[in-house]
Structure formats: structure tokens, C-alpha cells
Amino acid sequence: MPAASRPSLHHLASLIAILAVAAFLLLLPTAAPMTRAASVIVLSIALWATGWLPQWLTALVFFTLCTMAGVAETETIFAGFASAATWLVFSGLVIGAAIQHTGLGTDIARRVGPRLTASYPGAVAGVVALGVAMAFVMPSGMGRIVLMVPILSTLADHLGYGEGRPGRTGLILGGMMGTFLPTYAILPANVPNNVLMGASEAVLGAPPTYSAYLWLHFPVLGLLKALLLIGVMLRLYPDRAPGPPCQDEAAASLARPARRLALLLVLAVALWVSDAWHGISPAWIGLTAALVCLFPGSGLMPAKPLASLNMESLFYVAGIVSLGALAYHSGLGERVAHVLLAALPLDGAGDGTTFGLLGGLAMTLGTFLTLPGVPAVLTPLAPEIAAITGWSPEAVTMTQVVGFSTILLPYQAPPLVVGLLAARLPLRTGARVCLIMAVLSLVLLWPLDYLWWQLLGRI
């Protein structure tokens, strides 16, 4: 057997674990539903976190085990395929392929490139700032990621950072992380924020306002985190200054298909920005734009458009969303939250300790439920926690943002994995940045955020 096709120890260990869980589910059908669901969830999280199997294959393992054992209703098991996030991924794959096919990404890189050639630190800071700025106009983290990756890849090529160069990883990963990690401080910019807003309205009677949320979180968890991210990227991926762009290329005009695609994307972004007014989900706006690209004769996609798409990320996102739905509907998420809450010494703790413990609770729960599941589970517990700590329910609820904005591993945030797969970057590369940023956030940003809350009189 060729070495490339020979299974590794990791693959064998994964297979043994899958067979063990399957045997448990089949041989112990009388086990409690929560126990059966927990066995599948723990196995799937372990495989996603370690990367021992491809992400899409782990998703198929999750669907197979859940269906085989009947751990939940079919609507729950396959909830990911009904999720707006999954279809936003599909639309993003189509839009990204259209950007490359029409040459729009190259043209954007030609126009942006000259502004980033002064120095490599300036280029990294520029793409991180671009990512943060995009969060103010596009309400979907997944949409931003899939739109930016082909542009960032082309920009890296245009600046002379080819495959294997540290500068290429620094630019692409910096832009992706920039439009994700600091943007939890912007209310509609990511799915967990929107879940928190809806859950707060249902439990507390009123959602947080855009301005109050931004003022509470953005100075530390947004702005300072973005600056910290720039420093981390420069430290991990140092490189020399970019090369000068070609003047002839910089003056080139857009081809007709690229102009049509640019107009389509301007319209889509305008609809994304105004979603609070018209109420149309960003996913369906993106899907409509994707359908225009796929329509025969549009000239925006190759002759066989679906053959040009990498559908692996679609299965991954559907799987991770379904896992969160299973954890929530099975009661596992609430059970884990109550166990963790009972173990925390909140009664009589000082404000600083309470702040850290509640943020840590949200961060820890995010490793089990993925990030959108954190506010769905913890927000209903806010009045109970408030009674223990003496804080207001609103302050207790806002500590979740401190926790779920501190990402330990990429699998917790589907947009990051989608971006890494689209950019053909190893998952361990994203995991390293996430872990480093998490440690630095715990050591530097959490204490500063606590002081900021005190300055504002929130605790």
C-alpha cells in the first residue's frame, strides 16, 4: 500500500472511537437519551478539535451515528441543513468562485495593493482594519469570511507573497481573524451576538441597544483585541516588505463580467447593511446573489459551476450547527451549565472574581455547545445567577460576550474553519492563533475589560 494511502495511528484511533460509540449506541438502547446524545457529541467534538479526520467526514460520522441510534428527532439531527448559516456558506462559496472566475478579486487587489506596499506591518494592519470595518456593514461573519478570502488570497499574490511564504499566511489569516475575533463587540456582526439579543429580549424583556453594546465591549474586546491580533500575526509570521505592484496592472479596467459582479455585490452589501429595515435574512440575500451567479449565460461562473465549488465546508457547517441543536434540545447544554454553575464559588465572591468566573463559564460552555449555543443556554439562567451574585441580570448577560469572544479552537466558530478551508490553510495554523489570542485575552484583555466596566459603572 502506498504511504499516502496507508492509515495513520490517528486514523486508526478515530476508527476505534467511532466503532466504540456505535457499539454503545446499538447495544445499550435503554440508556438515557441525554447520555446517548452526549456520547455522540463528545466524540464529534474530539474529532473536530484534534483534526484526526477531515472536518466534513466527522460531520458525516455525526449524522450517521445520530440517525442510526435515533438520539433525537430527524428535524434536530439535520437542523444544520435548515439553518441560514449553512446556506450562507453555499452562497459564499458561489460568490467566492465568481470573484475568482471574473477577475474581480485581482482587480480589487490591484487597487488596494499600492496602499499596502510601504511595509509588511502596514499591510497586516491594513487587512485587519479592513476586516473590522467590514463587520460594521456586513452583519454575517460567515458572509464576510467567504467574501474576503478570495480577495485576500489574490492580494497576497499581488504583493509578492506566494505559496509557503509567512507573509501570505499573515495577510490571509490576519484578515480572516480581523473580521471575526474583534467583531463580537459589534452587536449584529456574528451569530452568537444575535442569539444573545433575541434571548435577552425573551428573558429580560428588552434586547441590548446597538450603541450601549458597542460602548461596553468595543474599546477593549474590539479595538484593543484588533491591535493585539496585529502584534500576534507579525510575531508568528514575519516577512519582508511587499513588492511594488505593476503600474500597467494597476491601471487596467474591469472586464464586463467583473463589472456585473461588482454591481451585484454592491446591491447585496446594501441589502445586508439594511437588513434591520427590510427584515430579509442575510442568508437569503446571499443565496439570491448566488443564484444570479449560477444562472446560465450570466458569465459569472464556469460552464460547470458546481464542479468548481469545494462543498466540504457546507457539510462541516451543517454538522456543527446540528451538534449545537442536539446539545440544546437534548438538555445536555443546560445540564452542563448547571453543573458548572454549581461548581463555581459565586456566592460571596468579589466583583473581579465574579467577572472572571462568569466569563470563564461562557468560554468553557462554548467548547461543548459551539458559540451560538452559549447565549441560548446561559441567558435563561441570568436571573438565577443575578440572585446569587447580586449583579443585575443585564450585567450577568453581558459577561457572556467576554467568554464567547475568547475562542479556544476554530471548530467552535464555523466561519473560521470555512475560511481556513477556502484559503487552504492548515487547521492547526488557525488553532495556534486562537489559543495564543485566548491566553493573551485572559491575561491582558479580561482585566482591562473589568476595569472598563467599573469605569462605566456597570458593576
mmCIF file of all heavy atoms in Angstrom, residues 36-88:
data_model
loop_
_atom_site.group_PDB
_atom_site.id
_atom_site.type_symbol
_atom_site.label_atom_id
_atom_site.label_comp_id
_atom_site.label_asym_id
_atom_site.label_seq_id
_atom_site.Cartn_x
_atom_site.Cartn_y
_atom_site.Cartn_z
ATOM 1 N N ARG A 36 -26.904 9.153 25.549
ATOM 2 C CA ARG A 36 -26.623 8.746 24.175
ATOM 3 C C ARG A 36 -26.215 9.952 23.329
ATOM 4 O O ARG A 36 -25.278 9.876 22.529
ATOM 5 C CB ARG A 36 -27.865 8.065 23.590
ATOM 6 C CG ARG A 36 -28.203 6.758 24.305
ATOM 7 C CD ARG A 36 -29.683 6.384 24.164
ATOM 8 N NE ARG A 36 -30.062 6.136 22.790
ATOM 9 C CZ ARG A 36 -29.834 5.003 22.140
ATOM 10 N NH1 ARG A 36 -29.207 4.007 22.770
ATOM 11 N NH2 ARG A 36 -30.240 4.824 20.907
ATOM 12 N N ALA A 37 -26.928 11.052 23.522
ATOM 13 C CA ALA A 37 -26.566 12.265 22.789
ATOM 14 C C ALA A 37 -25.177 12.749 23.192
ATOM 15 O O ALA A 37 -24.377 13.171 22.347
ATOM 16 C CB ALA A 37 -27.601 13.361 23.038
ATOM 17 N N ALA A 38 -24.879 12.676 24.497
ATOM 18 C CA ALA A 38 -23.572 13.138 24.972
ATOM 19 C C ALA A 38 -22.436 12.328 24.369
ATOM 20 O O ALA A 38 -21.371 12.884 24.045
ATOM 21 C CB ALA A 38 -23.521 13.058 26.498
ATOM 22 N N SER A 39 -22.631 11.023 24.192
ATOM 23 C CA SER A 39 -21.562 10.189 23.641
ATOM 24 C C SER A 39 -21.233 10.605 22.209
ATOM 25 O O SER A 39 -20.060 10.666 21.816
ATOM 26 C CB SER A 39 -21.964 8.713 23.687
ATOM 27 O OG SER A 39 -23.119 8.467 22.897
ATOM 28 N N VAL A 40 -22.268 10.919 21.415
ATOM 29 C CA VAL A 40 -22.024 11.346 20.035
ATOM 30 C C VAL A 40 -21.388 12.735 20.015
ATOM 31 O O VAL A 40 -20.459 13.001 19.240
ATOM 32 C CB VAL A 40 -23.344 11.347 19.240
ATOM 33 C CG1 VAL A 40 -23.094 11.818 17.805
ATOM 34 C CG2 VAL A 40 -23.973 9.964 19.225
ATOM 35 N N ILE A 41 -21.879 13.621 20.872
ATOM 36 C CA ILE A 41 -21.366 14.997 20.894
ATOM 37 C C ILE A 41 -19.898 15.025 21.314
ATOM 38 O O ILE A 41 -19.073 15.711 20.689
ATOM 39 C CB ILE A 41 -22.227 15.860 21.839
ATOM 40 C CG1 ILE A 41 -23.604 16.100 21.208
ATOM 41 C CG2 ILE A 41 -21.542 17.186 22.145
ATOM 42 C CD1 ILE A 41 -24.583 16.795 22.129
ATOM 43 N N VAL A 42 -19.551 14.288 22.356
ATOM 44 C CA VAL A 42 -18.165 14.277 22.833
ATOM 45 C C VAL A 42 -17.229 13.715 21.766
ATOM 46 O O VAL A 42 -16.137 14.252 21.516
ATOM 47 C CB VAL A 42 -18.055 13.475 24.140
ATOM 48 C CG1 VAL A 42 -16.585 13.258 24.519
ATOM 49 C CG2 VAL A 42 -18.779 14.200 25.273
ATOM 50 N N LEU A 43 -17.644 12.624 21.110
ATOM 51 C CA LEU A 43 -16.812 12.047 20.049
ATOM 52 C C LEU A 43 -16.617 13.049 18.913
ATOM 53 O O LEU A 43 -15.495 13.251 18.430
ATOM 54 C CB LEU A 43 -17.460 10.771 19.514
ATOM 55 C CG LEU A 43 -16.803 10.177 18.258
ATOM 56 C CD1 LEU A 43 -15.400 9.682 18.573
ATOM 57 C CD2 LEU A 43 -17.654 9.060 17.677
ATOM 58 N N SER A 44 -17.694 13.698 18.485
ATOM 59 C CA SER A 44 -17.604 14.634 17.357
ATOM 60 C C SER A 44 -16.716 15.822 17.703
ATOM 61 O O SER A 44 -15.881 16.245 16.886
ATOM 62 C CB SER A 44 -19.010 15.109 16.964
ATOM 63 O OG SER A 44 -19.834 14.019 16.604
ATOM 64 N N ILE A 45 -16.883 16.362 18.905
ATOM 65 C CA ILE A 45 -16.057 17.491 19.317
ATOM 66 C C ILE A 45 -14.584 17.086 19.372
ATOM 67 O O ILE A 45 -13.702 17.844 18.945
ATOM 68 C CB ILE A 45 -16.530 18.037 20.675
ATOM 69 C CG1 ILE A 45 -17.871 18.771 20.504
ATOM 70 C CG2 ILE A 45 -15.491 18.974 21.287
ATOM 71 C CD1 ILE A 45 -18.457 19.275 21.806
ATOM 72 N N ALA A 46 -14.311 15.879 19.879
ATOM 73 C CA ALA A 46 -12.927 15.417 19.957
ATOM 74 C C ALA A 46 -12.308 15.301 18.563
ATOM 75 O O ALA A 46 -11.160 15.702 18.338
ATOM 76 C CB ALA A 46 -12.875 14.068 20.673
ATOM 77 N N LEU A 47 -13.066 14.771 17.609
ATOM 78 C CA LEU A 47 -12.540 14.625 16.252
ATOM 79 C C LEU A 47 -12.360 15.979 15.581
ATOM 80 O O LEU A 47 -11.372 16.206 14.874
ATOM 81 C CB LEU A 47 -13.484 13.739 15.425
ATOM 82 C CG LEU A 47 -13.558 12.264 15.848
ATOM 83 C CD1 LEU A 47 -14.576 11.518 14.999
ATOM 84 C CD2 LEU A 47 -12.196 11.598 15.749
ATOM 85 N N TRP A 48 -13.302 16.890 15.795
ATOM 86 C CA TRP A 48 -13.152 18.222 15.213
ATOM 87 C C TRP A 48 -11.981 18.975 15.845
ATOM 88 O O TRP A 48 -11.248 19.688 15.162
ATOM 89 C CB TRP A 48 -14.442 19.029 15.388
ATOM 90 C CG TRP A 48 -15.422 18.831 14.273
ATOM 91 C CD1 TRP A 48 -15.143 18.760 12.937
ATOM 92 C CD2 TRP A 48 -16.845 18.677 14.393
ATOM 93 N NE1 TRP A 48 -16.310 18.574 12.218
ATOM 94 C CE2 TRP A 48 -17.359 18.524 13.080
ATOM 95 C CE3 TRP A 48 -17.728 18.663 15.466
ATOM 96 C CZ2 TRP A 48 -18.721 18.360 12.831
ATOM 97 C CZ3 TRP A 48 -19.081 18.502 15.210
ATOM 98 C CH2 TRP A 48 -19.564 18.350 13.913
ATOM 99 N N ALA A 49 -11.843 18.831 17.159
ATOM 100 C CA ALA A 49 -10.791 19.579 17.850
ATOM 101 C C ALA A 49 -9.400 19.067 17.489
ATOM 102 O O ALA A 49 -8.456 19.851 17.348
ATOM 103 C CB ALA A 49 -11.002 19.501 19.365
ATOM 104 N N THR A 50 -9.251 17.759 17.351
ATOM 105 C CA THR A 50 -7.934 17.193 17.053
ATOM 106 C C THR A 50 -7.605 17.224 15.572
ATOM 107 O O THR A 50 -6.436 17.219 15.191
ATOM 108 C CB THR A 50 -7.848 15.733 17.538
ATOM 109 O OG1 THR A 50 -8.869 14.950 16.886
ATOM 110 C CG2 THR A 50 -8.042 15.656 19.047
ATOM 111 N N GLY A 51 -8.629 17.243 14.711
ATOM 112 C CA GLY A 51 -8.386 17.214 13.280
ATOM 113 C C GLY A 51 -7.885 15.872 12.780
ATOM 114 O O GLY A 51 -7.285 15.801 11.705
ATOM 115 N N TRP A 52 -8.133 14.806 13.539
ATOM 116 C CA TRP A 52 -7.661 13.495 13.124
ATOM 117 C C TRP A 52 -8.391 12.992 11.875
ATOM 118 O O TRP A 52 -7.872 12.156 11.149
ATOM 119 C CB TRP A 52 -7.829 12.490 14.263
ATOM 120 C CG TRP A 52 -6.811 12.676 15.340
ATOM 121 C CD1 TRP A 52 -5.819 13.614 15.374
ATOM 122 C CD2 TRP A 52 -6.678 11.908 16.542
ATOM 123 N NE1 TRP A 52 -5.068 13.477 16.525
ATOM 124 C CE2 TRP A 52 -5.580 12.431 17.278
ATOM 125 C CE3 TRP A 52 -7.377 10.840 17.089
ATOM 126 C CZ2 TRP A 52 -5.177 11.929 18.489
ATOM 127 C CZ3 TRP A 52 -6.981 10.324 18.315
ATOM 128 C CH2 TRP A 52 -5.881 10.865 19.005
ATOM 129 N N LEU A 53 -9.602 13.464 11.666
ATOM 130 C CA LEU A 53 -10.335 13.170 10.448
ATOM 131 C C LEU A 53 -10.662 14.478 9.755
ATOM 132 O O LEU A 53 -10.751 15.523 10.404
ATOM 133 C CB LEU A 53 -11.641 12.409 10.761
ATOM 134 C CG LEU A 53 -11.531 10.980 11.284
ATOM 135 C CD1 LEU A 53 -12.930 10.421 11.534
ATOM 136 C CD2 LEU A 53 -10.768 10.089 10.315
ATOM 137 N N PRO A 54 -10.865 14.456 8.448
ATOM 138 C CA PRO A 54 -11.321 15.683 7.780
ATOM 139 C C PRO A 54 -12.611 16.190 8.413
ATOM 140 O O PRO A 54 -13.456 15.402 8.853
ATOM 141 C CB PRO A 54 -11.543 15.218 6.334
ATOM 142 C CG PRO A 54 -10.672 14.012 6.169
ATOM 143 C CD PRO A 54 -10.653 13.333 7.515
ATOM 144 N N GLN A 55 -12.776 17.511 8.434
ATOM 145 C CA GLN A 55 -13.927 18.100 9.107
ATOM 146 C C GLN A 55 -15.251 17.624 8.522
ATOM 147 O O GLN A 55 -16.202 17.352 9.255
ATOM 148 C CB GLN A 55 -13.838 19.636 9.023
ATOM 149 C CG GLN A 55 -12.522 20.224 9.517
ATOM 150 C CD GLN A 55 -12.296 19.973 10.996
ATOM 151 O OE1 GLN A 55 -13.151 20.263 11.812
ATOM 152 N NE2 GLN A 55 -11.144 19.436 11.343
ATOM 153 N N TRP A 56 -15.307 17.505 7.209
ATOM 154 C CA TRP A 56 -16.550 17.071 6.573
ATOM 155 C C TRP A 56 -16.861 15.607 6.908
ATOM 156 O O TRP A 56 -18.030 15.229 7.053
ATOM 157 C CB TRP A 56 -16.468 17.242 5.050
ATOM 158 C CG TRP A 56 -15.359 16.467 4.397
ATOM 159 C CD1 TRP A 56 -14.091 16.874 4.167
ATOM 160 C CD2 TRP A 56 -15.427 15.112 3.918
ATOM 161 N NE1 TRP A 56 -13.342 15.886 3.567
ATOM 162 C CE2 TRP A 56 -14.145 14.793 3.396
ATOM 163 C CE3 TRP A 56 -16.434 14.147 3.861
ATOM 164 C CZ2 TRP A 56 -13.859 13.556 2.837
ATOM 165 C CZ3 TRP A 56 -16.151 12.915 3.309
ATOM 166 C CH2 TRP A 56 -14.870 12.624 2.808
ATOM 167 N N LEU A 57 -15.813 14.781 7.040
ATOM 168 C CA LEU A 57 -16.027 13.370 7.364
ATOM 169 C C LEU A 57 -16.553 13.219 8.788
ATOM 170 O O LEU A 57 -17.437 12.386 9.060
ATOM 171 C CB LEU A 57 -14.727 12.592 7.176
ATOM 172 C CG LEU A 57 -14.806 11.078 7.410
ATOM 173 C CD1 LEU A 57 -15.870 10.445 6.525
ATOM 174 C CD2 LEU A 57 -13.445 10.430 7.154
ATOM 175 N N THR A 58 -16.030 14.021 9.712
ATOM 176 C CA THR A 58 -16.554 13.993 11.080
ATOM 177 C C THR A 58 -18.029 14.386 11.099
ATOM 178 O O THR A 58 -18.828 13.810 11.853
ATOM 179 C CB THR A 58 -15.748 14.945 11.977
ATOM 180 O OG1 THR A 58 -14.381 14.510 12.013
ATOM 181 C CG2 THR A 58 -16.301 14.972 13.393
ATOM 182 N N ALA A 59 -18.404 15.354 10.267
ATOM 183 C CA ALA A 59 -19.817 15.744 10.189
ATOM 184 C C ALA A 59 -20.674 14.576 9.721
ATOM 185 O O ALA A 59 -21.766 14.331 10.266
ATOM 186 C CB ALA A 59 -19.977 16.943 9.261
ATOM 187 N N LEU A 60 -20.201 13.832 8.723
ATOM 188 C CA LEU A 60 -20.961 12.683 8.241
ATOM 189 C C LEU A 60 -21.020 11.580 9.295
ATOM 190 O O LEU A 60 -22.047 10.884 9.422
ATOM 191 C CB LEU A 60 -20.335 12.151 6.947
ATOM 192 C CG LEU A 60 -20.429 13.087 5.728
ATOM 193 C CD1 LEU A 60 -19.752 12.452 4.521
ATOM 194 C CD2 LEU A 60 -21.884 13.407 5.415
ATOM 195 N N VAL A 61 -19.937 11.412 10.059
ATOM 196 C CA VAL A 61 -19.960 10.456 11.172
ATOM 197 C C VAL A 61 -21.022 10.867 12.189
ATOM 198 O O VAL A 61 -21.797 10.037 12.679
ATOM 199 C CB VAL A 61 -18.571 10.380 11.837
ATOM 200 C CG1 VAL A 61 -18.645 9.615 13.166
ATOM 201 C CG2 VAL A 61 -17.566 9.712 10.907
ATOM 202 N N PHE A 62 -21.083 12.158 12.506
ATOM 203 C CA PHE A 62 -22.084 12.667 13.448
ATOM 204 C C PHE A 62 -23.491 12.362 12.956
ATOM 205 O O PHE A 62 -24.329 11.834 13.706
ATOM 206 C CB PHE A 62 -21.888 14.174 13.627
ATOM 207 C CG PHE A 62 -23.001 14.857 14.363
ATOM 208 C CD1 PHE A 62 -23.056 14.820 15.752
ATOM 209 C CD2 PHE A 62 -24.004 15.531 13.677
ATOM 210 C CE1 PHE A 62 -24.088 15.446 16.441
ATOM 211 C CE2 PHE A 62 -25.033 16.163 14.352
ATOM 212 C CZ PHE A 62 -25.072 16.118 15.735
ATOM 213 N N PHE A 63 -23.790 12.674 11.707
ATOM 214 C CA PHE A 63 -25.129 12.425 11.166
ATOM 215 C C PHE A 63 -25.457 10.934 11.194
ATOM 216 O O PHE A 63 -26.581 10.537 11.540
ATOM 217 C CB PHE A 63 -25.232 12.946 9.733
ATOM 218 C CG PHE A 63 -25.224 14.438 9.614
ATOM 219 C CD1 PHE A 63 -24.372 15.071 8.724
ATOM 220 C CD2 PHE A 63 -26.060 15.223 10.390
ATOM 221 C CE1 PHE A 63 -24.358 16.451 8.612
ATOM 222 C CE2 PHE A 63 -26.050 16.605 10.286
ATOM 223 C CZ PHE A 63 -25.204 17.214 9.395
ATOM 224 N N THR A 64 -24.480 10.103 10.833
ATOM 225 C CA THR A 64 -24.716 8.657 10.770
ATOM 226 C C THR A 64 -25.012 8.078 12.143
ATOM 227 O O THR A 64 -25.974 7.316 12.322
ATOM 228 C CB THR A 64 -23.501 7.954 10.147
ATOM 229 O OG1 THR A 64 -23.256 8.486 8.837
ATOM 230 C CG2 THR A 64 -23.742 6.456 10.058
ATOM 231 N N LEU A 65 -24.196 8.428 13.143
ATOM 232 C CA LEU A 65 -24.396 7.893 14.483
ATOM 233 C C LEU A 65 -25.719 8.370 15.074
ATOM 234 O O LEU A 65 -26.445 7.592 15.711
ATOM 235 C CB LEU A 65 -23.237 8.298 15.392
ATOM 236 C CG LEU A 65 -21.873 7.663 15.076
ATOM 237 C CD1 LEU A 65 -20.805 8.207 16.018
ATOM 238 C CD2 LEU A 65 -21.943 6.140 15.190
ATOM 239 N N CYS A 66 -26.040 9.643 14.882
ATOM 240 C CA CYS A 66 -27.298 10.164 15.424
ATOM 241 C C CYS A 66 -28.498 9.468 14.806
ATOM 242 O O CYS A 66 -29.451 9.097 15.497
ATOM 243 C CB CYS A 66 -27.398 11.668 15.180
ATOM 244 S SG CYS A 66 -26.318 12.671 16.195
ATOM 245 N N THR A 67 -28.465 9.275 13.485
ATOM 246 C CA THR A 67 -29.583 8.649 12.789
ATOM 247 C C THR A 67 -29.686 7.175 13.143
ATOM 248 O O THR A 67 -30.783 6.646 13.379
ATOM 249 C CB THR A 67 -29.408 8.812 11.268
ATOM 250 O OG1 THR A 67 -29.231 10.186 10.956
ATOM 251 C CG2 THR A 67 -30.628 8.290 10.535
ATOM 252 N N MET A 68 -28.547 6.508 13.189
ATOM 253 C CA MET A 68 -28.518 5.070 13.482
ATOM 254 C C MET A 68 -29.088 4.778 14.863
ATOM 255 O O MET A 68 -29.815 3.795 15.059
ATOM 256 C CB MET A 68 -27.075 4.575 13.391
ATOM 257 C CG MET A 68 -26.876 3.106 13.726
ATOM 258 S SD MET A 68 -25.136 2.623 13.585
ATOM 259 C CE MET A 68 -24.395 3.625 14.878
ATOM 260 N N ALA A 69 -28.788 5.630 15.826
ATOM 261 C CA ALA A 69 -29.214 5.382 17.206
ATOM 262 C C ALA A 69 -30.508 6.108 17.565
ATOM 263 O O ALA A 69 -31.046 5.885 18.638
ATOM 264 C CB ALA A 69 -28.111 5.811 18.171
ATOM 265 N N GLY A 70 -30.992 6.982 16.686
ATOM 266 C CA GLY A 70 -32.215 7.709 16.981
ATOM 267 C C GLY A 70 -32.118 8.555 18.237
ATOM 268 O O GLY A 70 -33.028 8.562 19.070
ATOM 269 N N VAL A 71 -31.021 9.297 18.383
ATOM 270 C CA VAL A 71 -30.813 10.067 19.608
ATOM 271 C C VAL A 71 -31.725 11.281 19.696
ATOM 272 O O VAL A 71 -31.872 11.885 20.758
ATOM 273 C CB VAL A 71 -29.341 10.523 19.729
ATOM 274 C CG1 VAL A 71 -28.421 9.322 19.816
ATOM 275 C CG2 VAL A 71 -28.947 11.405 18.553
ATOM 276 N N ALA A 72 -32.324 11.670 18.565
ATOM 277 C CA ALA A 72 -33.219 12.828 18.562
ATOM 278 C C ALA A 72 -34.109 12.739 17.338
ATOM 279 O O ALA A 72 -33.963 11.835 16.492
ATOM 280 C CB ALA A 72 -32.417 14.137 18.554
ATOM 281 N N GLU A 73 -35.046 13.670 17.242
ATOM 282 C CA GLU A 73 -35.893 13.742 16.061
ATOM 283 C C GLU A 73 -35.054 14.114 14.838
ATOM 284 O O GLU A 73 -34.015 14.771 14.946
ATOM 285 C CB GLU A 73 -36.992 14.790 16.261
ATOM 286 C CG GLU A 73 -37.951 14.478 17.404
ATOM 287 C CD GLU A 73 -38.802 13.247 17.114
ATOM 288 O OE1 GLU A 73 -39.080 12.987 15.919
ATOM 289 O OE2 GLU A 73 -39.178 12.542 18.075
ATOM 290 N N THR A 74 -35.535 13.683 13.678
ATOM 291 C CA THR A 74 -34.814 13.970 12.439
ATOM 292 C C THR A 74 -34.637 15.470 12.240
ATOM 293 O O THR A 74 -33.595 15.927 11.755
ATOM 294 C CB THR A 74 -35.573 13.375 11.239
ATOM 295 O OG1 THR A 74 -35.748 11.977 11.435
ATOM 296 C CG2 THR A 74 -34.797 13.608 9.947
ATOM 297 N N GLU A 75 -35.650 16.254 12.621
ATOM 298 C CA GLU A 75 -35.555 17.707 12.463
ATOM 299 C C GLU A 75 -34.402 18.287 13.260
ATOM 300 O O GLU A 75 -33.786 19.279 12.855
ATOM 301 C CB GLU A 75 -36.868 18.373 12.897
ATOM 302 C CG GLU A 75 -38.055 18.081 11.992
ATOM 303 C CD GLU A 75 -38.659 16.705 12.256
ATOM 304 O OE1 GLU A 75 -38.199 16.031 13.211
ATOM 305 O OE2 GLU A 75 -39.573 16.302 11.517
ATOM 306 N N THR A 76 -34.095 17.681 14.417
ATOM 307 C CA THR A 76 -32.977 18.155 15.239
ATOM 308 C C THR A 76 -31.644 17.681 14.681
ATOM 309 O O THR A 76 -30.679 18.449 14.599
ATOM 310 C CB THR A 76 -33.141 17.669 16.683
ATOM 311 O OG1 THR A 76 -34.367 18.171 17.224
ATOM 312 C CG2 THR A 76 -31.988 18.139 17.551
ATOM 313 N N ILE A 77 -31.590 16.408 14.279
ATOM 314 C CA ILE A 77 -30.331 15.850 13.779
ATOM 315 C C ILE A 77 -29.842 16.601 12.547
ATOM 316 O O ILE A 77 -28.653 16.898 12.407
ATOM 317 C CB ILE A 77 -30.499 14.351 13.458
ATOM 318 C CG1 ILE A 77 -30.820 13.562 14.740
ATOM 319 C CG2 ILE A 77 -29.239 13.793 12.793
ATOM 320 C CD1 ILE A 77 -31.152 12.104 14.493
ATOM 321 N N PHE A 78 -30.762 16.920 11.650
ATOM 322 C CA PHE A 78 -30.394 17.594 10.407
ATOM 323 C C PHE A 78 -30.777 19.064 10.418
ATOM 324 O O PHE A 78 -30.996 19.672 9.355
ATOM 325 C CB PHE A 78 -31.046 16.880 9.215
ATOM 326 C CG PHE A 78 -30.544 15.479 9.008
ATOM 327 C CD1 PHE A 78 -31.288 14.389 9.440
ATOM 328 C CD2 PHE A 78 -29.321 15.241 8.404
ATOM 329 C CE1 PHE A 78 -30.830 13.092 9.260
ATOM 330 C CE2 PHE A 78 -28.846 13.957 8.223
ATOM 331 C CZ PHE A 78 -29.604 12.879 8.649
ATOM 332 N N ALA A 79 -30.817 19.654 11.612
ATOM 333 C CA ALA A 79 -31.176 21.064 11.720
ATOM 334 C C ALA A 79 -30.189 21.962 10.977
ATOM 335 O O ALA A 79 -30.558 23.044 10.511
ATOM 336 C CB ALA A 79 -31.240 21.479 13.191
ATOM 337 N N GLY A 80 -28.954 21.502 10.853
ATOM 338 C CA GLY A 80 -27.952 22.317 10.182
ATOM 339 C C GLY A 80 -28.289 22.613 8.737
ATOM 340 O O GLY A 80 -27.973 23.685 8.216
ATOM 341 N N PHE A 81 -28.967 21.655 8.054
ATOM 342 C CA PHE A 81 -29.304 21.872 6.649
ATOM 343 C C PHE A 81 -30.471 22.836 6.484
ATOM 344 O O PHE A 81 -30.705 23.338 5.382
ATOM 345 C CB PHE A 81 -29.619 20.538 5.968
ATOM 346 C CG PHE A 81 -28.405 19.683 5.767
ATOM 347 C CD1 PHE A 81 -28.138 18.619 6.616
ATOM 348 C CD2 PHE A 81 -27.511 19.948 4.746
ATOM 349 C CE1 PHE A 81 -27.021 17.833 6.441
ATOM 350 C CE2 PHE A 81 -26.379 19.168 4.563
ATOM 351 C CZ PHE A 81 -26.124 18.104 5.412
ATOM 352 N N ALA A 82 -31.200 23.088 7.562
ATOM 353 C CA ALA A 82 -32.263 24.091 7.525
ATOM 354 C C ALA A 82 -31.793 25.434 8.058
ATOM 355 O O ALA A 82 -32.558 26.394 8.074
ATOM 356 C CB ALA A 82 -33.468 23.610 8.346
ATOM 357 N N SER A 83 -30.531 25.494 8.488
ATOM 358 C CA SER A 83 -30.004 26.713 9.091
ATOM 359 C C SER A 83 -29.621 27.726 8.020
ATOM 360 O O SER A 83 -29.085 27.382 6.962
ATOM 361 C CB SER A 83 -28.774 26.377 9.947
ATOM 362 O OG SER A 83 -28.075 27.534 10.304
ATOM 363 N N ALA A 84 -29.876 28.989 8.320
ATOM 364 C CA ALA A 84 -29.469 30.065 7.416
ATOM 365 C C ALA A 84 -27.954 30.101 7.251
ATOM 366 O O ALA A 84 -27.437 30.445 6.173
ATOM 367 C CB ALA A 84 -29.982 31.403 7.934
ATOM 368 N N ALA A 85 -27.217 29.732 8.314
ATOM 369 C CA ALA A 85 -25.749 29.768 8.239
ATOM 370 C C ALA A 85 -25.227 28.830 7.155
ATOM 371 O O ALA A 85 -24.280 29.158 6.429
ATOM 372 C CB ALA A 85 -25.152 29.390 9.594
ATOM 373 N N THR A 86 -25.835 27.649 7.035
ATOM 374 C CA THR A 86 -25.379 26.686 6.036
ATOM 375 C C THR A 86 -25.576 27.223 4.622
ATOM 376 O O THR A 86 -24.693 27.108 3.767
ATOM 377 C CB THR A 86 -26.127 25.356 6.205
ATOM 378 O OG1 THR A 86 -25.891 24.851 7.530
ATOM 379 C CG2 THR A 86 -25.661 24.328 5.191
ATOM 380 N N TRP A 87 -26.719 27.834 4.380
ATOM 381 C CA TRP A 87 -26.982 28.348 3.034
ATOM 382 C C TRP A 87 -26.199 29.615 2.757
ATOM 383 O O TRP A 87 -25.928 29.947 1.604
ATOM 384 C CB TRP A 87 -28.486 28.538 2.848
ATOM 385 C CG TRP A 87 -29.162 27.209 2.814
ATOM 386 C CD1 TRP A 87 -29.913 26.630 3.789
ATOM 387 C CD2 TRP A 87 -29.055 26.242 1.761
ATOM 388 N NE1 TRP A 87 -30.296 25.370 3.418
ATOM 389 C CE2 TRP A 87 -29.786 25.100 2.178
ATOM 390 C CE3 TRP A 87 -28.424 26.221 0.525
ATOM 391 C CZ2 TRP A 87 -29.903 23.969 1.385
ATOM 392 C CZ3 TRP A 87 -28.547 25.091 -0.277
ATOM 393 C CH2 TRP A 87 -29.272 23.983 0.161
ATOM 394 N N LEU A 88 -25.819 30.315 3.813
ATOM 395 C CA LEU A 88 -24.927 31.449 3.623
ATOM 396 C C LEU A 88 -23.539 30.960 3.207
ATOM 397 O O LEU A 88 -22.848 31.609 2.416
ATOM 398 C CB LEU A 88 -24.845 32.278 4.899
ATOM 399 C CG LEU A 88 -24.148 33.629 4.791
ATOM 400 C CD1 LEU A 88 -24.824 34.492 3.736
ATOM 401 C CD2 LEU A 88 -24.160 34.341 6.130
#
